[in-house]
């Protein structure tokens, strides 16, 4: 290799080293700048949703980011909210005006569904302004601190039935339910759960007491899905509804379906044998198992075991207990 070639090669090597050094210290390319400053993978966050601290944020952001610490915190707070898996979603797609005798009011259609996967069992209920108002008043009594910054749409003297006011309230009530559900103590409270389920349960139990088992069953099957979603931390609370479904199926001569829901109820009572529904449910399940040709001896053993430990007391039948629920 002659001297000129050697110098040329050396010069090219120095230029390459210089380019590498420059690339490692300069700001991102135009293409990189056009991309979001901190692109987040929601899939990763679902696996570990709590690990969203500032250290993770700085690791993803460019070291030359112009965002201040406060801006970073606000940015990641918003991203965290967007990527966090929401359990229930509330939508109010439509309304209807009801005129009953001398009263007139707006009914808001509320659709409740589970996010994160396709939810074919969405729940649909209707509530009026006074129902929301009563809920708000009850929550203020029990959760004054949590409800301090929660706004509620005020009544107006006129224009309550105009399209503008109704649409405003639709959005306000949707946001109101979302905020309430985001607060753990409120979404688990009896008052919040009652607001979403009690009117339908009262109607269902009224049908049951009147011998309208088909209608009662139809309503109960709609309510039970929503109850299960709302009371995951307290599975025993839905035992009365499950047992009411058992009663309806049994009286409609559907023993297989009755037994299926009876098993669901028993599974929630396996460590709550003092529950008022436990023995009546066991007795009903023994009858159903015998009728279906299933193993009833294990159920009989549980019943005898309980009777041996407890003093003899008057026990209502499953149906007698069911008709006593939600008596207005």
């Amino acid at each position: 290799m002659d001297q000129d070639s050697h110098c040329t090669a050396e010069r090219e090597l120095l230029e390459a080293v210089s380019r590498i050094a420059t690339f490692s210290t300069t700001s991102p390319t135009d293409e990189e700048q056009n991309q979001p400053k901190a692109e987040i993978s929601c899939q990763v966050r679902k696996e570990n949703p709590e690990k969203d601290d500032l250290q993770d944020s700085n690791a993803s952001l460019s070291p030359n980011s112009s965002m201040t610490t406060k801006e970073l915190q606000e940015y990641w707070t918003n991203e965290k909210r967007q990527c966090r898996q929401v359990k229930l979603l509330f939508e109010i797609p439509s309304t209807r005006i009801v005129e009953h005798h001398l009263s007139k009011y707006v009914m808001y259609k509320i659709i409740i569904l589970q996010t994160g996967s396709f939810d074919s069992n969405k729940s649909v209920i209707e509530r009026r302004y006074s129902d929301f108002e009563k809920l708000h008043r009850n929550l203020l009594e029990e959760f004054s601190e949590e409800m301090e910054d929660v706004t509620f749409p005020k009544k107006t003297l006129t224009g309550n039935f105009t399209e503008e006011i109704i649409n405003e309230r639709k959005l306000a009530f949707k946001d109101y339910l979302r905020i309430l559900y985001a607060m753990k103590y409120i979404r688990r409270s009896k008052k919040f759960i009652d607001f979403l389920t009690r009117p339908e349960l009262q109607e269902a139990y009224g049908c049951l007491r009147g011998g309208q088992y088909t209608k009662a069953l139809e309503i109960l099957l709609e309510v039970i899905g929503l109850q299960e979603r709302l009371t995951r931390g307290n599975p025993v609370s839905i035992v009365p509804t499950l047992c009411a479904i058992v009663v309806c199926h049994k009286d409609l001569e559907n023993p297989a379906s009755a037994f299926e829901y009876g098993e669901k109820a028993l599974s929630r009572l396996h460590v709550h044998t003092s529950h008022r529904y436990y023995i009546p449910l066991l007795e009903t399940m023994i009858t159903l198992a015998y009728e279906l040709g299933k193993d009833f001896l294990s159920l009989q053993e549980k019943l005898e075991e309980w009777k041996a430990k407890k003093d003899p007391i008057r026990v209502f039948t499953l149906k007698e207990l069911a008709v006593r629920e939600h008596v207005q």
Side-chain angles (χ1 to χ4, degrees), residues 286-309:
I286 291 169
T287 302
L288 290 169
Y290 182 80
E291 183 179 348
L292 294 167
K294 295 180 178 290
D295 172 31
F296 63 88
L297 293 178
S298 59
L299 296 170
Q300 187 70 47
E301 288 174 1
K302 290 181 181 179
L303 180 60
E304 297 300 329
E305 181 183 348
W306 185 91
K307 287 182 177 179
K309 293 180 180 178

Side-chain angles (χ1 to χ4, degrees), residues 92-109:
I92 304 181
S94 61
T95 61
R96 63 186 179 94
I97 297 176
V98 178
E99 295 189 51
H100 184 67
H101 298 303
L102 299 177
S103 65
K104 183 179 178 181
Y105 52 88
V106 179
M107 293 293 288
Y108 295 85
K109 181 179 180 181

Side-chain angles (χ1 to χ4, degrees), residues 66-88:
S66 60
M67 297 174 76
T68 65
T69 301
K70 183 178 180 181
E71 288 172 336
L72 281 172
Q73 291 173 337
E74 293 174 350
Y75 178 89
W76 283 103
T77 297
N78 292 331
E79 289 293 346
K80 189 175 177 182
R81 287 174 181 166
Q82 292 174 8
C83 292
R84 182 181 296 145
Q85 187 175 6
V86 180
K87 293 181 179 179
L88 288 185

Side-chain angles (χ1 to χ4, degrees), residues 1 54 76 89 97 138 146 160 177 191 222 281 323:
M1 180 181 297
L54 190 58
W76 283 103
L89 182 68
I97 297 176
N138 289 339
E146 290 86 346
N160 285 310
L177 291 173
K191 291 176 180 178
E222 290 180 0
L281 179 59
V323 298

Side-chain angles (χ1 to χ4, degrees), residues 23-253:
F23 179 78
S24 64
T25 57
T26 56
S27 59
T29 64
D30 292 339
E31 182 180 356
E32 290 171 329
Q33 289 177 346
N34 290 332
Q35 293 178 353
K37 289 186 177 180
E39 207 169 73
I40 304 171
S41 170
C42 289
Q43 182 177 359
V44 173
R45 291 191 174 275
K46 286 177 183 178
E47 294 174 359
N48 193 0
E50 299 303 323
K51 199 171 182 179
D52 287 308
D53 54 23
L54 190 58
Q55 182 178 356
D56 292 334
S57 306
N58 290 334
S60 298
L61 287 167
S62 164
N64 293 303
S65 171
S66 60
M67 297 174 76
T68 65
T69 301
K70 183 178 180 181
E71 288 172 336
L72 281 172
Q73 291 173 337
E74 293 174 350
Y75 178 89
W76 283 103
T77 297
N78 292 331
E79 289 293 346
K80 189 175 177 182
R81 287 174 181 166
Q82 292 174 8
C83 292
R84 182 181 296 145
Q85 187 175 6
V86 180
K87 293 181 179 179
L88 288 185
L89 182 68
F90 298 88
E91 295 289 345
I92 304 181
S94 61
T95 61
R96 63 186 179 94
I97 297 176
V98 178
E99 295 189 51
H100 184 67
H101 298 303
L102 299 177
S103 65
K104 183 179 178 181
Y105 52 88
V106 179
M107 293 293 288
Y108 295 85
K109 181 179 180 181
I110 307 169
I111 297 178
I112 308 161
L113 62 158
Q114 184 174 325
T115 62
S117 62
F118 177 73
D119 188 3
S120 60
N121 297 317
K122 63 183 179 183
S123 301
V124 181
I125 61 176
E126 284 188 318
R127 298 292 183 267
R128 53 189 290 189
Y129 181 94
S130 59
D131 295 324
F132 280 98
E133 189 177 40
K134 181 180 178 182
L135 169 67
H136 190 70
R137 188 166 57 248
N138 289 339
L139 291 177
L140 281 173
E141 292 176 359
E142 187 174 351
F143 304 100
S144 57
E145 185 176 345
E146 290 86 346
M147 296 290 293
E148 185 178 2
D149 297 323
V150 180
T151 58
F152 187 82
K154 295 181 180 179
K155 280 186 176 180
T156 56
L157 296 177
T158 59
N160 285 310
F161 302 102
T162 63
E163 186 177 352
E164 182 182 0
I165 293 295
I166 291 174
N167 286 332
E168 284 179 3
R169 286 182 175 174
K170 276 169 57 177
L171 295 174
F173 285 142
K174 173 185 173 180
D175 197 46
Y176 178 73
L177 291 173
R178 178 187 60 80
I179 292 171
L180 294 184
Y181 184 77
M183 292 185 276
K184 181 175 68 174
Y185 293 108
I186 290 181
R187 72 167 174 262
R188 292 181 178 179
S189 70
K190 186 177 184 300
K191 291 176 180 178
F192 181 68
I193 295 171
D194 279 352
F195 167 79
L196 296 171
T197 61
R198 189 172 180 83
E200 286 72 24
L201 286 173
Q202 286 178 333
E203 182 183 0
Y205 279 96
C207 292
L208 192 156
R209 283 187 288 272
Q212 298 175 296
Y213 301 115
T214 301
K215 179 63 176 177
L217 182 60
E218 179 185 337
I219 301 171
L220 290 168
L221 290 176
E222 290 180 0
V223 175
I224 191 65
L226 179 56
Q227 277 189 306
E228 287 177 331
R229 297 169 189 168
L230 291 168
T231 61
R232 286 179 177 173
N234 184 20
V236 177
S237 62
I238 66 169
V239 166
T241 307
L242 289 170
C243 289
I245 293 174
V246 171
V247 169
C248 289
H249 275 305
K250 190 172 183 297
D251 280 25
L252 290 169
E253 299 183 355

